[in-house]
Amino acid sequence: MLVSPTMADDIVSIDQELTDLRSTYELTPLAVTVPALKGLHERALFLGHRRGHPAHRSALNAVTSRVGALRADALYNAGEVSLSRRISGHSASLGKLSGDPHTYANARRTQAAIEVYEGRPAFAMAYANQADEHTPAGVACMASKARGAALAGVGADDVYRLADEALNAAYGLPRHDHGTPGDEDPRTCSPAEVAYSATLASAVAGDLFRADGYADLALPHLPAGFRSVILAHLAVASVPVDLDRAVAEARKSLVLSPTPFRSLSVPLANLVKALRPYRHSAPDVMVLAQEIDAWHGPTVTTPHPDADFV
């Protein structure tokens, strides 16, 4: 085993690079962020195999957890669901070992978000329930509970109650803890991002009126990727009541995010399924399905270069 007299400096360096990546995360293509986060994560993991002062071990566990959670989020949107789950689970373990409730809640937030998008509400809510709701990331997990409840078929009124509790908790945080939507900072929670989750929860629950209300709060403050996911969910919720709106919202969503990512492709797939009964009676439905296929582009069958992570 090697002794690293600069372990503390290495930890600070990794943390600073992570902060820099977070600041542009929502505006940078996945083709750039995925390899950048892989390199940073591998540096942190390698550092963990070196001998350092015991006092530095908790800090190293925390920073490795935070890097891993952001990498898992990027991998998920790149379509690497299994690898994303493994890395986020490892990040949660390191977060717990670090003793930092913010870092641990952040990893659980990532895990809950993955399972919400993958339609596994029991897992999503179990992960969210393990986060300390006194932390900003834990408040974000409250919003995941609302989405999990909607997926589990809980009534719209109960989903609304859970979503409102999450939103009130987010607005109740000090302003310096609000952060930026999508920055994945363990010590911040954006009310706009919680309103985003509340929109999705109400839309999944079939409560289009409340979903529109939450969307009004969220949309002006969110990056394009978040806005496109909201529009896709509103499109699905609109199908039973306003077919023209469903098609129009979906098309706006595609324009906002011309490059595919999984948290948008999932609701778009649900939309295509919901529109299937109308494919012969409404010509726009078939056209939209073709537009969504074109948006997805060719299917990639080669394994991801990160698939060797253990």
Short mmCIF file of all heavy atoms in Angstrom, two decimals, residues 256-289:
data_model
loop_
_atom_site.label_atom_id
_atom_site.label_comp_id
_atom_site.label_asym_id
_atom_site.label_seq_id
_atom_site.Cartn_x
_atom_site.Cartn_y
_atom_site.Cartn_z
N LEU A 256 -37.28 21.47 -27.56
CA LEU A 256 -36.45 21.92 -26.43
C LEU A 256 -35.24 21.02 -26.20
O LEU A 256 -34.19 21.48 -25.77
CB LEU A 256 -37.29 21.96 -25.15
CG LEU A 256 -38.13 23.20 -24.91
CD1 LEU A 256 -39.04 22.99 -23.70
CD2 LEU A 256 -37.24 24.42 -24.67
N SER A 257 -35.39 19.72 -26.48
CA SER A 257 -34.31 18.76 -26.23
C SER A 257 -34.09 17.91 -27.48
O SER A 257 -34.57 16.78 -27.56
CB SER A 257 -34.64 17.88 -25.03
OG SER A 257 -34.67 18.63 -23.84
N PRO A 258 -33.36 18.44 -28.44
CA PRO A 258 -33.14 17.68 -29.68
C PRO A 258 -32.28 16.44 -29.50
O PRO A 258 -32.31 15.54 -30.34
CB PRO A 258 -32.45 18.70 -30.60
CG PRO A 258 -31.84 19.70 -29.68
CD PRO A 258 -32.73 19.78 -28.49
N THR A 259 -31.50 16.37 -28.41
CA THR A 259 -30.66 15.20 -28.14
C THR A 259 -31.35 14.29 -27.13
O THR A 259 -31.75 14.76 -26.05
CB THR A 259 -29.29 15.63 -27.58
OG1 THR A 259 -28.67 16.53 -28.51
CG2 THR A 259 -28.40 14.42 -27.37
N PRO A 260 -31.53 13.01 -27.43
CA PRO A 260 -32.27 12.11 -26.53
C PRO A 260 -31.57 11.92 -25.18
O PRO A 260 -30.35 11.92 -25.08
CB PRO A 260 -32.29 10.78 -27.30
CG PRO A 260 -32.07 11.15 -28.72
CD PRO A 260 -31.16 12.33 -28.69
N PHE A 261 -32.37 11.78 -24.13
CA PHE A 261 -31.89 11.35 -22.82
C PHE A 261 -33.02 10.61 -22.15
O PHE A 261 -34.20 10.85 -22.43
CB PHE A 261 -31.39 12.53 -21.97
CG PHE A 261 -32.38 13.63 -21.73
CD1 PHE A 261 -33.13 13.67 -20.58
CD2 PHE A 261 -32.56 14.64 -22.67
CE1 PHE A 261 -34.04 14.70 -20.35
CE2 PHE A 261 -33.47 15.67 -22.46
CZ PHE A 261 -34.21 15.70 -21.30
N ARG A 262 -32.68 9.68 -21.26
CA ARG A 262 -33.65 8.68 -20.80
C ARG A 262 -34.82 9.26 -20.01
O ARG A 262 -35.95 8.79 -20.14
CB ARG A 262 -32.96 7.59 -19.99
CG ARG A 262 -33.89 6.42 -19.68
CD ARG A 262 -33.15 5.20 -19.20
NE ARG A 262 -34.07 4.11 -18.90
CZ ARG A 262 -34.58 3.27 -19.81
NH1 ARG A 262 -34.24 3.41 -21.07
NH2 ARG A 262 -35.41 2.32 -19.44
N SER A 263 -34.59 10.26 -19.19
CA SER A 263 -35.69 10.78 -18.38
C SER A 263 -36.74 11.49 -19.25
O SER A 263 -37.84 11.76 -18.78
CB SER A 263 -35.19 11.71 -17.27
OG SER A 263 -34.39 12.74 -17.80
N LEU A 264 -36.40 11.77 -20.50
CA LEU A 264 -37.40 12.27 -21.45
C LEU A 264 -37.93 11.15 -22.32
O LEU A 264 -39.12 11.12 -22.65
CB LEU A 264 -36.80 13.37 -22.32
CG LEU A 264 -37.71 13.95 -23.42
CD1 LEU A 264 -39.03 14.45 -22.84
CD2 LEU A 264 -36.99 15.09 -24.15
N SER A 265 -37.08 10.20 -22.69
CA SER A 265 -37.55 9.12 -23.56
C SER A 265 -38.60 8.25 -22.88
O SER A 265 -39.49 7.71 -23.54
CB SER A 265 -36.37 8.26 -24.03
OG SER A 265 -35.76 7.57 -22.96
N VAL A 266 -38.51 8.14 -21.54
CA VAL A 266 -39.50 7.32 -20.82
C VAL A 266 -40.91 7.90 -20.94
O VAL A 266 -41.84 7.19 -21.35
CB VAL A 266 -39.08 7.13 -19.34
CG1 VAL A 266 -40.22 6.52 -18.53
CG2 VAL A 266 -37.84 6.26 -19.25
N PRO A 267 -41.15 9.19 -20.60
CA PRO A 267 -42.52 9.70 -20.78
C PRO A 267 -42.95 9.76 -22.24
O PRO A 267 -44.15 9.61 -22.54
CB PRO A 267 -42.47 11.11 -20.15
CG PRO A 267 -41.03 11.47 -20.12
CD PRO A 267 -40.29 10.19 -19.93
N LEU A 268 -42.02 9.96 -23.16
CA LEU A 268 -42.40 9.95 -24.58
C LEU A 268 -42.87 8.56 -25.01
O LEU A 268 -43.80 8.43 -25.80
CB LEU A 268 -41.23 10.42 -25.45
CG LEU A 268 -40.91 11.91 -25.40
CD1 LEU A 268 -39.68 12.22 -26.23
CD2 LEU A 268 -42.10 12.76 -25.89
N ALA A 269 -42.22 7.52 -24.48
CA ALA A 269 -42.69 6.16 -24.76
C ALA A 269 -44.08 5.94 -24.20
O ALA A 269 -44.94 5.31 -24.84
CB ALA A 269 -41.70 5.14 -24.18
N ASN A 270 -44.32 6.48 -22.99
CA ASN A 270 -45.67 6.38 -22.41
C ASN A 270 -46.69 7.13 -23.25
O ASN A 270 -47.84 6.70 -23.38
CB ASN A 270 -45.66 6.94 -20.98
CG ASN A 270 -44.86 6.09 -20.02
OD1 ASN A 270 -44.67 4.88 -20.25
ND2 ASN A 270 -44.37 6.68 -18.95
N LEU A 271 -46.26 8.25 -23.83
CA LEU A 271 -47.17 9.02 -24.68
C LEU A 271 -47.54 8.24 -25.94
O LEU A 271 -48.72 8.19 -26.32
CB LEU A 271 -46.50 10.35 -25.06
CG LEU A 271 -47.29 11.23 -26.04
CD1 LEU A 271 -48.61 11.69 -25.40
CD2 LEU A 271 -46.46 12.44 -26.47
N VAL A 272 -46.56 7.64 -26.58
CA VAL A 272 -46.84 6.85 -27.79
C VAL A 272 -47.83 5.73 -27.46
O VAL A 272 -48.77 5.48 -28.23
CB VAL A 272 -45.53 6.27 -28.37
CG1 VAL A 272 -45.82 5.26 -29.47
CG2 VAL A 272 -44.65 7.40 -28.91
N LYS A 273 -47.65 5.10 -26.31
CA LYS A 273 -48.58 4.04 -25.90
C LYS A 273 -49.98 4.60 -25.66
O LYS A 273 -50.99 4.00 -26.09
CB LYS A 273 -48.05 3.38 -24.63
CG LYS A 273 -48.89 2.22 -24.13
CD LYS A 273 -48.27 1.59 -22.89
CE LYS A 273 -49.14 0.44 -22.37
NZ LYS A 273 -48.53 -0.18 -21.15
N ALA A 274 -50.06 5.75 -24.99
CA ALA A 274 -51.37 6.34 -24.70
C ALA A 274 -52.09 6.79 -25.97
O ALA A 274 -53.33 6.78 -26.03
CB ALA A 274 -51.20 7.53 -23.76
N LEU A 275 -51.32 7.17 -26.99
CA LEU A 275 -51.91 7.66 -28.24
C LEU A 275 -52.30 6.54 -29.21
O LEU A 275 -52.98 6.80 -30.21
CB LEU A 275 -50.94 8.61 -28.95
CG LEU A 275 -50.73 9.98 -28.30
CD1 LEU A 275 -49.58 10.72 -28.99
CD2 LEU A 275 -52.01 10.81 -28.36
N ARG A 276 -51.88 5.33 -28.92
CA ARG A 276 -52.10 4.22 -29.84
C ARG A 276 -53.57 4.05 -30.26
O ARG A 276 -53.84 3.83 -31.45
CB ARG A 276 -51.56 2.93 -29.23
CG ARG A 276 -51.29 1.83 -30.23
CD ARG A 276 -50.44 0.75 -29.60
NE ARG A 276 -49.07 1.21 -29.38
CZ ARG A 276 -48.26 0.73 -28.44
NH1 ARG A 276 -48.70 -0.19 -27.60
NH2 ARG A 276 -47.04 1.18 -28.32
N PRO A 277 -54.54 4.18 -29.35
CA PRO A 277 -55.93 4.01 -29.78
C PRO A 277 -56.41 5.05 -30.80
O PRO A 277 -57.44 4.86 -31.45
CB PRO A 277 -56.73 4.13 -28.47
CG PRO A 277 -55.75 3.82 -27.40
CD PRO A 277 -54.44 4.34 -27.88
N TYR A 278 -55.66 6.16 -30.94
CA TYR A 278 -56.10 7.25 -31.82
C TYR A 278 -55.32 7.27 -33.14
O TYR A 278 -55.49 8.19 -33.94
CB TYR A 278 -55.89 8.60 -31.11
CG TYR A 278 -56.57 8.68 -29.76
CD1 TYR A 278 -55.84 8.41 -28.59
CD2 TYR A 278 -57.91 9.01 -29.63
CE1 TYR A 278 -56.44 8.47 -27.35
CE2 TYR A 278 -58.53 9.08 -28.39
CZ TYR A 278 -57.78 8.81 -27.25
OH TYR A 278 -58.39 8.88 -26.02
N ARG A 279 -54.48 6.27 -33.38
CA ARG A 279 -53.57 6.36 -34.52
C ARG A 279 -54.29 6.33 -35.87
O ARG A 279 -53.75 6.85 -36.85
CB ARG A 279 -52.52 5.26 -34.45
CG ARG A 279 -53.05 3.84 -34.52
CD ARG A 279 -51.90 2.86 -34.23
NE ARG A 279 -52.31 1.47 -34.35
CZ ARG A 279 -52.93 0.77 -33.42
NH1 ARG A 279 -53.24 1.38 -32.27
NH2 ARG A 279 -53.26 -0.49 -33.59
N HIS A 280 -55.49 5.75 -35.91
CA HIS A 280 -56.22 5.70 -37.18
C HIS A 280 -57.20 6.87 -37.32
O HIS A 280 -57.54 7.25 -38.45
CB HIS A 280 -56.96 4.38 -37.31
CG HIS A 280 -56.05 3.19 -37.35
ND1 HIS A 280 -55.02 3.06 -38.25
CD2 HIS A 280 -56.01 2.07 -36.57
CE1 HIS A 280 -54.38 1.91 -38.03
NE2 HIS A 280 -54.96 1.30 -37.01
N SER A 281 -57.64 7.42 -36.20
CA SER A 281 -58.66 8.48 -36.27
C SER A 281 -58.06 9.88 -36.27
O SER A 281 -58.73 10.84 -36.67
CB SER A 281 -59.62 8.35 -35.09
OG SER A 281 -58.92 8.41 -33.85
N ALA A 282 -56.81 10.02 -35.82
CA ALA A 282 -56.18 11.35 -35.76
C ALA A 282 -54.85 11.28 -36.52
O ALA A 282 -53.88 10.72 -36.01
CB ALA A 282 -55.96 11.77 -34.32
N PRO A 283 -54.78 11.85 -37.71
CA PRO A 283 -53.56 11.75 -38.53
C PRO A 283 -52.31 12.26 -37.82
O PRO A 283 -51.22 11.72 -38.02
CB PRO A 283 -53.89 12.61 -39.76
CG PRO A 283 -55.38 12.65 -39.81
CD PRO A 283 -55.86 12.58 -38.40
N ASP A 284 -52.44 13.29 -36.99
CA ASP A 284 -51.27 13.85 -36.31
C ASP A 284 -50.60 12.85 -35.39
O ASP A 284 -49.40 12.98 -35.09
CB ASP A 284 -51.69 15.08 -35.51
CG ASP A 284 -51.42 16.37 -36.27
OD1 ASP A 284 -50.94 16.27 -37.42
OD2 ASP A 284 -51.67 17.45 -35.72
N VAL A 285 -51.36 11.86 -34.92
CA VAL A 285 -50.80 10.89 -33.99
C VAL A 285 -49.72 10.06 -34.66
O VAL A 285 -48.63 9.84 -34.11
CB VAL A 285 -51.92 10.00 -33.41
CG1 VAL A 285 -51.33 8.80 -32.68
CG2 VAL A 285 -52.80 10.81 -32.46
N MET A 286 -49.99 9.59 -35.87
CA MET A 286 -49.00 8.79 -36.59
C MET A 286 -47.77 9.64 -36.94
O MET A 286 -46.64 9.17 -36.85
CB MET A 286 -49.62 8.21 -37.86
CG MET A 286 -50.64 7.11 -37.59
SD MET A 286 -49.90 5.66 -36.80
CE MET A 286 -48.92 5.02 -38.16
N VAL A 287 -48.02 10.88 -37.31
CA VAL A 287 -46.91 11.78 -37.65
C VAL A 287 -46.03 12.01 -36.42
O VAL A 287 -44.79 11.98 -36.50
CB VAL A 287 -47.44 13.11 -38.21
CG1 VAL A 287 -46.29 14.08 -38.46
CG2 VAL A 287 -48.22 12.87 -39.50
N LEU A 288 -46.67 12.25 -35.27
CA LEU A 288 -45.92 12.48 -34.05
C LEU A 288 -45.10 11.25 -33.67
O LEU A 288 -43.93 11.38 -33.26
CB LEU A 288 -46.86 12.84 -32.90
CG LEU A 288 -46.20 13.03 -31.53
CD1 LEU A 288 -45.21 14.20 -31.57
CD2 LEU A 288 -47.24 13.25 -30.43
N ALA A 289 -45.68 10.07 -33.82
CA ALA A 289 -44.94 8.85 -33.51
C ALA A 289 -43.68 8.74 -34.37
O ALA A 289 -42.61 8.33 -33.88
CB ALA A 289 -45.82 7.63 -33.72
#
